[in-house]
Amino acid sequence: MALAEAAAARGRVLPWPRVVLFGDSITEFSFQEGGWGASLAGRLVRKCDVVNRGFSGYNTRWAKLILPRLIGKSAAAESTVAVTIFFGANDSALKDVNPKQHVPLEEYAANLTSMVHYLKSVDITEDRIILITPPPLQESAWEKECLAKGDKLNRRNATTGEYAQACVRVARDCGTDVLDLWTLMQKDQDFSCYLSDGLHLSMEGNNFLVGQLWSHLEKRLSALPSLLPYWRDVDPQNPEVSLL
C-alpha cells in the first residue's frame, strides 16, 4: 500500500498524549544524561511524549509572557495529559545582588496564578497541572559558583523557602497539585547530595525528583495504553489489519 493510500485509510494522525515540562534551567537540563525529564520519558515510552519547555535563567515574569506561545487552544492542548510549572529558583534571587532575575514574592505568586488560569482557559484543567517549588539552596556550594564568576552570593535558602511556600499556597488556592521539593529534600538528610552546585540537581537529586513526581503522575498516566501493537502481534502477511 502506498503511503498516500495508507494516510487516506488512516483518516487522521494518531493522537499521541503528551506531558509538558515548563520551567527554568532545572527543567531545561532535565534531558541530560540521568536527568529527571529523560527518566520520565523513559517510563512513558509509547504511551506519552514528554516535551521539554525549559528556559535557563527565566523567571515567572518572563514565563507568563511566553506560555501562550508554547501552549494554545488546539489539538495539542487537548492531548496534554499533564503540565508541570517549575519556577522560583531565579525569582528568589536577591534583589540587591541580582535584580535582573529577581521577582518580588507577591508578583511571583500572581504570575503562577496567571499561568494556571491561562492553562485552564485553553482547556487544560487544574487536575492536569502540577506546580513544583524550587529546591533548597545549599549556600556554601552556590557561593563558590558565584565567587568563581566574580559575583557575591545572590540567593539564600531561607528566601527560596518563602517562594516555595508561596508556590504551595497558589496550588492550594487554584486547586492544582503541588510537589514541594524545597520541603521534601530537607526532610531526612543533608540535602547537599541532591545538588550539583548548590542550586541545580545532581544525579541523586534528579532521581529524587522523578520519583516524587511519578507518585503524582502515576494514577493518571500509568493506565495509558501502549500506542500501536506489539511487534509480535502484527500480521506479517497483512500488516494493514493491525496497524491501520
Side-chain angles (χ1 to χ4, degrees), residues 137-149 151-156 197-198:
L137 180 77
Q138 214 288 314
E139 292 181 13
S140 60
W142 184 244
E143 185 173 27
K144 290 179 182 177
E145 296 290 323
C146 294
L147 291 173
K149 297 175 183 176
D151 300 325
K152 296 192 296 183
L153 178 66
N154 56 21
R155 290 162 171 79
R156 292 286 185 184
D197 57 7

Side-chain angles (χ1 to χ4, degrees), residues 5-241:
E5 293 172 340
R10 182 172 58 235
R12 62 189 179 94
V13 173
L14 180 67
W16 208 281
R18 69 175 190 163
V19 173
V20 179
L21 311 180
F22 184 42
D24 52 33
S25 59
I26 302 175
T27 297
E28 180 175 334
F29 301 161
S30 71
F31 270 64
Q32 294 178 352
E33 184 176 358
W36 63 274
S39 297
L40 183 62
R43 296 184 188 210
L44 293 170
V45 166
R46 288 188 55 181
K47 291 187 172 186
C48 184
D49 284 338
V50 178
V51 181
N52 187 334
R53 294 292 180 264
F55 300 88
S56 179
Y58 275 49
N59 55 33
T60 57
R61 183 182 293 163
W62 305 341
K64 76 172 186 178
L65 296 177
I66 65 170
L67 181 57
R69 301 182 65 190
L70 305 177
I71 302 175
K73 196 165 187 176
S74 63
E78 291 176 14
S79 67
T80 300
V81 293
V83 178
T84 60
I85 300 177
F86 189 2
F87 289 95
N90 297 315
D91 298 72
S92 60
L94 302 177
K95 182 179 181 180
D96 58 335
V97 184
N98 187 355
K100 182 170 185 176
Q101 291 180 303
H102 170 79
V103 172
L105 185 62
E106 297 77 12
E107 183 188 343
Y108 168 73
N111 291 340
L112 288 178
T113 300
S114 177
M115 288 189 277
V116 171
H117 288 169
Y118 171 74
L119 291 175
K120 291 167 70 174
S121 78
V122 295
D123 299 328
I124 297 175
T125 52
E126 58 266 25
D127 61 311
R128 289 185 276 165
I129 302 169
I130 302 174
L131 302 188
I132 305 177
T133 76
L137 180 77
Q138 214 288 314
E139 292 181 13
S140 60
W142 184 244
E143 185 173 27
K144 290 179 182 177
E145 296 290 323
C146 294
L147 291 173
K149 297 175 183 176
D151 300 325
K152 296 192 296 183
L153 178 66
N154 56 21
R155 290 162 171 79
R156 292 286 185 184
N157 190 40
T159 305
T160 303
E162 294 174 3
Y163 283 72
Q165 291 166 16
C167 180
V168 171
R169 288 194 296 271
V170 169
R172 180 194 62 212
D173 294 344
C174 292
T176 72
D177 207 349
V178 64
L179 173 52
D180 185 359
L181 205 58
W182 188 86
T183 298
L184 288 169
M185 281 188 164
Q186 296 183 85
K187 238 176 185 178
D188 301 319
Q189 59 178 312
D190 175 12
F191 65 86
S192 63
C193 65
Y194 294 131
L195 303 168
S196 62
D197 57 7
L199 175 66
H200 301 97
L201 300 182
S202 64
M203 186 73 73
E204 192 167 346
N206 277 284
N207 290 338
F208 182 87
L209 172 51
V210 77
Q212 294 292 329
L213 181 59
W214 185 246
S215 70
H216 289 258
L217 291 172
E218 186 173 13
K219 285 184 180 178
R220 69 194 82 177
L221 300 186
S222 61
L224 289 173
S226 288
L227 295 165
L228 297 174
Y230 181 53
W231 71 271
R232 291 186 184 277
D233 297 327
V234 177
D235 182 349
Q237 304 305 318
N238 297 289
E240 296 88 351
V241 174

